[in-house]
Each structure stands twice: as C-alpha cells, then as structure tokens.
Amino acid sequence: MKKISTPLTDQMINSLKSGDEILLTGTIYTARDQAHKRLSDTIKKVKKMPVVLGGQIIYYCGPTAAPRGKAIGSCGPTTSSRMDEFTPLLLSKGLRGMIGKGRRSEEVIKAIKKHKAVYFLAYAGCGALISKFIQRVRLIAYKDLGPEAIYRLEVKGLPLIVAIDSRGRSIYN
Amino acid sequence: MRIISANQINDAVSDLCIRANIDLRKDVLQALKRAYLKEKNRRAKRILNAIIKNASIAKREKLAICQDTGLPVVFAELGQDVRIKGDLKSAIRKGVESGYKKGHLRNSIVDNPLLRGRPSYRGAVIHLDLVKGNNLKLTVLPKGFGCENKSQVKMFNPTARIEEIKNFIIDVVKTAGADACPPFVVGVGIGGTADYASFLAKKALLRSVRVSKYQSIKVVAKLEQELLREINQLNIGPMGLGGRATALAVNVETYLTHIAGLPVAVNISCHALRSASRVL
C-alpha cells in the first residue's frame, strides 16, 4: 500500500488515482457541519481564519471524548455530502484534501478537478479502529461546538481509499 | 402493586447506554461474520473485516463502536401493576446523561432543532407503552444520524401491488447508498398511520436480524426474504464500493390500517445497529 505524508505536494496528489488504497501520516484537521458554516462565513467576511487552509487536509469527523490514557475516543468519518455546499469555497482558499464517507456533488467534483485536490474515504463506522492511528490531538478553534470543534490530529499510517482524484475521477462512477 | 424507584431506572438506563454503544449486538456481529464469509468482492471483504475488528476493539477497550453515539431512543414497556416512585421520564433522561458522560460517549444533542446551540448529553426520544404485568422493560437504541437521515414514509393507495411497495423500499435503500454505512439492517413499518408506521419501522430494528425465524406472518416473511435477496443484488456493498453485503436483514413489522390507506415507512440502520435491554 502506498504511503503518503503531509503536507500534500502537487506531485503526490498527481500520483493518486481513484481506487488507490493508501496509508496517511502527518497532520489533518477535523471540521464538520457547523465548523464549515463558520469557516465559510469567515471567508465571506474576509476575516482572520482560525486555520490556514493552504495545503491542508480536512477530516469530516466529530470524535467522542477521549477516555483516560487515550489521545482520542472513537473517531470515524461522517457523511461528506452535508459539507458539499461549503467545499468549493474552501478549495478555492487552498484546501487540498478531504476525508469522509460517501458521494460528493458534481460541483464538488468539478472544484476538486479545478483546484487539483483529492477526496479520501476512511473506513465508515469504524471509529474505534481508526482511533488506533491517531497519536496526538489538539483543540484549534470553536471550542463551544464540542465534538464539532476543529481539532488538529497527528495521524500515523491511517488507512484511506482515494475516492475522487485530482482529475475528477470518482470511485463511485 | 410493585414499586420501582426512579433511581433504579436511572442506573439501568445509564448502563444500557454504555452497553449498547460499546458492545455490538451479538446477532448483528454474527450477521457481519456471515456476510464476510459470503462476500466475494475483495475490497468489500477487507472493509467487512475492518468492521468486525472495530467491534472487537470497541468491546475490549470500552470505546464507542462509532463516534456517532446517536440520539438515544428509549423504549419503556411499563407493567400496569407497577408504581414508579419518582418521575419516570426524568429518570430516563438523567440515566442517558450519566451513561453518556460515564461511557465517554458523544454529546450530540442540541436542545432546539432550529436554534441548534451547544451540543449536550441531555435528552432522548422516549416511547412509553403500558403493558400487562409488574415489570418495567427498558431498551436503549442509540440511533446514528448518517442512517436516520435516510428515513422515508410513503402513503400508498390500498390497492397498491406488492411490487410497488417493494420498489419504494428498494429505492430508499439505493438513496441511502454509501452515506448510511452499509451493510444495513432495513426496518420497515407497514400499516397504522404515517406516524405509527414510522414507529414500527424503528421498532423493527430491535428484532433479531435472523429474520425469517421470528416472522410468523407468512406473506411478511416472504416479503422480507425477497427484499433481502433483491437488495443484496444491488451491488452497493460495504461503504458503497460494491459487493454483495448491502443489507444484513430486512425486518418488517405490520399493523392494522384504514380501508383507504397503506402507509409504508422505512428506517435504515447502519451496520453498527446498537441496542440493549433490561427488565426491572
């Protein structure tokens, strides 16, 4: 299986093809519904972003609380399509990768192709298993959103499937 | 008159929330293992293997099977010869809150659907039924919303053919697709009113996924078997990436209805179908 480290480079993204199974090591940021709404409002109002999106990967995930002695609780992917209305704007601000589950809209696929990004799938409904690949967690923004806050995760060897590659080819087609 | 205290209820609900969320139902786990053995698609097999492994890690390390620990749906069947000392519904809600906190489960509940606000551990959907006897049976079904969002109800004409009903159910499954985390357990409620059919569809998820054995009405048993066979030919598969395992079971519940109608509701569960029961 191909091993990929963050930050994602153009060359790396180019080499990924829809259907590839990879192991990801490095830094990713969680964000789901409400965080997307806030990030999108911040961009529209031209205010300071809590995360610099350039070159980064967003993981659609709201983890459970970490039990004592663990970095994180259960932390699988949530349904990506709910983020579709915000995604093209985030991609236009430099976001390069997304991790989630399920299909994306035509607009998102077009934006992925335009901005040479990539959309990965994580094993859906396997939050306990995925927690094994997360080494460190840090709260970055929107603490009031609880599990929907933005967390920075350091991951090692996280298994992912390339669902939409930078040429806009989807695993579902 | 038997007395059950609010404290007993609170403690039982708290334990059930934790048990349901970390210890996958035995019938569901066995169905997943059977699906793994039957699966021929290699990627689907790898995903099913991860799902089975996930259940064992969750149980061993007392972690939630899925980070979406759901909106707790609590079924309380109260014997009419029981007197509750204290407030039943508030005991259930307190039990949910303490179980979710203690079990490191997720605070996924917002007080108002329009105002949203800060997520909390407080709240449940409670279905209370008065039955004969002097027991209280409590069941907690934590329902994740990836699959709950795909629920549908359709009011058919009473003259509708069985094929029309089947096509509707299969279309709901197709629409749910990858988003709702297949392989599914498909809960179907037929009859009653629009709301009651929805309730039956949810209740159908509590039945064992070893379908036909538990279905006494022949025509319904046949419908369950045919639907399961047809759904597993859709090639949706685990994570929607193809394969045989699109559904583990189709559970249909029926009820009397009006001469002018035929309500059909579908409530899909993801592969992490979690529930736990206890009789007080």
Side-chain angles (χ1 to χ4, degrees):
Chain A
M1 229 181 284
K2 199 182 279 184
K3 289 179 179 166
I4 297 285
S5 297
T6 65
L8 296 174
T9 62
D10 288 348
Q11 195 190 357
M12 221 186 268
I13 290 177
N14 250 327
S15 75
L16 294 174
K17 285 190 293 292
S18 153
D20 284 353
E21 300 198 7
I22 64 131
L23 299 174
L24 182 76
T25 296
T27 305
I28 59 177
Y29 292 87
T30 67
R32 42 175 289 158
D33 307 68
Q34 301 300 334
H36 270 76
K37 201 172 172 187
R38 288 191 189 180
L39 287 174
S40 160
D41 286 347
T42 308
I43 294 169
K44 285 176 189 159
K45 289 176 186 159
V46 207
K47 288 193 174 161
K48 189 174 180 289
M49 295 283 280
V51 185
V52 179
L53 292 175
Q56 299 299 342
I57 301 175
I58 284 182
Y59 180 26
Y60 305 137
C61 172
T64 60
R68 192 172 297 194
K70 290 190 190 298
I72 197 166
S74 193
C75 54
T78 196
T79 306
S80 307
S81 61
R82 294 199 312 273
M83 268 48 82
D84 281 355
E85 62 174 296
F86 307 105
T87 297
L89 181 63
L90 266 53
L91 286 169
S92 75
K93 293 292 165 191
L95 178 71
R96 294 307 291 276
M98 294 149 286
I99 306 170
K101 68 168 161 107
R103 292 166 187 261
R104 309 304 304 262
S105 67
E106 280 307 314
E107 288 73 24
V108 169
I109 296 175
K110 266 187 212 154
I112 287 173
K113 201 172 162 183
K114 183 177 172 191
H115 300 290
K116 299 267 170 259
V118 58
Y119 167 56
F120 301 100
L121 302 176
Y123 284 153
C126 295
L129 176 70
I130 291 173
S131 75
K132 297 295 205 185
F133 302 98
I134 317 284
Q135 298 187 308
R136 274 186 301 281
V137 179
R138 194 171 159 198
L139 175 72
I140 297 297
Y142 310 149
K143 191 179 174 200
D144 61 299
L145 292 178
E148 291 202 81
I150 295 181
Y151 294 95
R152 187 168 68 207
L153 312 182
E154 304 295 334
V155 306
K156 193 177 177 191
L158 177 67
L160 300 173
I161 302 167
V162 178
I164 302 168
D165 63 27
S166 57
R167 290 163 191 86
R169 290 178 299 208
S170 169
I171 196 169
Y172 294 111
N173 294 338
Chain B
M1 185 68 76
R2 191 176 156 226
I3 294 172
I4 297 177
S5 75
N7 273 345
Q8 282 172 276
I9 296 164
N10 182 333
D11 290 349
V13 170
S14 171
D15 287 349
L16 290 172
C17 289
I18 298 173
R19 177 144 59 92
N21 270 296
I22 68 174
D23 191 358
L24 188 62
R25 259 167 55 174
K26 226 176 228 134
D27 60 320
V28 176
L29 187 59
Q30 280 168 357
L32 284 165
K33 287 178 178 168
R34 282 197 301 275
Y36 172 81
L37 292 175
K38 279 187 189 169
E39 185 63 66
K40 293 202 171 69
N41 178 310
R42 281 172 57 203
R43 187 179 348 242
K45 226 173 160 76
R46 274 203 297 283
I47 298 166
L48 287 168
N49 187 44
I51 291 170
I52 293 163
K53 201 170 155 195
N54 180 67
S56 88
I57 293 172
K59 189 175 179 179
R60 192 177 65 231
E61 304 198 7
K62 297 190 166 36
L63 275 172
I65 296 159
C66 176
Q67 74 291 337
D68 185 356
T69 54
L71 179 58
V73 181
V74 181
F75 297 83
E77 290 171 40
L78 178 64
Q80 57 191 12
D81 299 330
V82 175
R83 191 169 77 80
I84 303 289
K85 203 174 142 199
D87 181 339
L88 172 66
K89 286 190 176 173
S90 115
I92 290 173
R93 282 192 284 266
K94 279 184 189 158
V96 165
E97 188 176 0
S98 74
Y100 268 63
K101 277 186 183 165
K102 203 169 139 194
H104 301 283
L105 307 176
R106 198 174 72 180
N107 44 337
S108 315
I109 299 164
V110 286
D111 265 351
N112 183 293
L114 298 175
L115 300 173
R116 313 303 298 183
R118 204 179 180 121
S120 82
Y121 299 94
R122 280 181 300 276
V125 169
I126 302 171
H127 295 292
L128 184 58
D129 196 8
L130 207 55
V131 297
K132 281 184 190 167
N134 61 358
N135 293 323
L136 169 63
K137 184 178 180 190
L138 293 164
T139 301
V140 175
L141 172 83
K143 191 62 167 46
F145 257 57
C147 53
E148 186 65 12
N149 279 340
K150 307 295 176 183
S151 311
Q152 288 192 43
V153 187
K154 187 167 179 175
M155 306 303 278
F156 282 89
N157 283 334
T159 50
R161 288 171 297 117
I162 198 88
E163 280 71 29
E164 292 174 60
I165 295 169
K166 277 166 71 175
N167 287 341
F168 166 64
I169 296 165
I170 289 168
D171 278 345
V172 176
V173 170
K174 282 186 193 163
T175 309
D179 287 359
C181 291
F184 306 132
V185 175
V186 184
V188 180
I190 304 180
T193 47
D195 57 320
Y196 200 74
S198 298
F199 167 72
L200 287 178
K202 178 70 96 278
K203 212 177 164 189
L205 299 177
L206 297 178
R207 227 175 67 206
S208 166
V209 298
R210 297 210 72 150
V211 197
S212 44
K213 268 191 183 171
Y214 296 90
Q215 186 51 263
S216 53
I217 309 168
K218 255 191 187 162
V219 59
V220 182
K222 188 167 166 255
L223 178 64
E224 287 179 344
Q225 286 157 13
E226 287 175 2
L227 278 168
L228 182 62
R229 194 166 54 237
E230 286 173 40
I231 288 168
N232 282 335
Q233 284 165 2
L234 294 174
N235 198 32
I236 294 174
M239 282 174 73
L241 299 179
R244 182 191 171 279
T246 301
L248 301 173
V250 179
N251 285 2
V252 179
E253 291 289 314
T254 57
Y255 193 65
L256 57 83
T257 194
H258 190 274
I259 49 170
L262 207 177
V264 179
V266 184
N267 196 273
I268 287 181
S269 172
C270 59
H271 59 75
L273 169 52
R274 295 149 286 175
S275 70
S277 296
R278 193 171 148 193
V279 178
L280 292 180

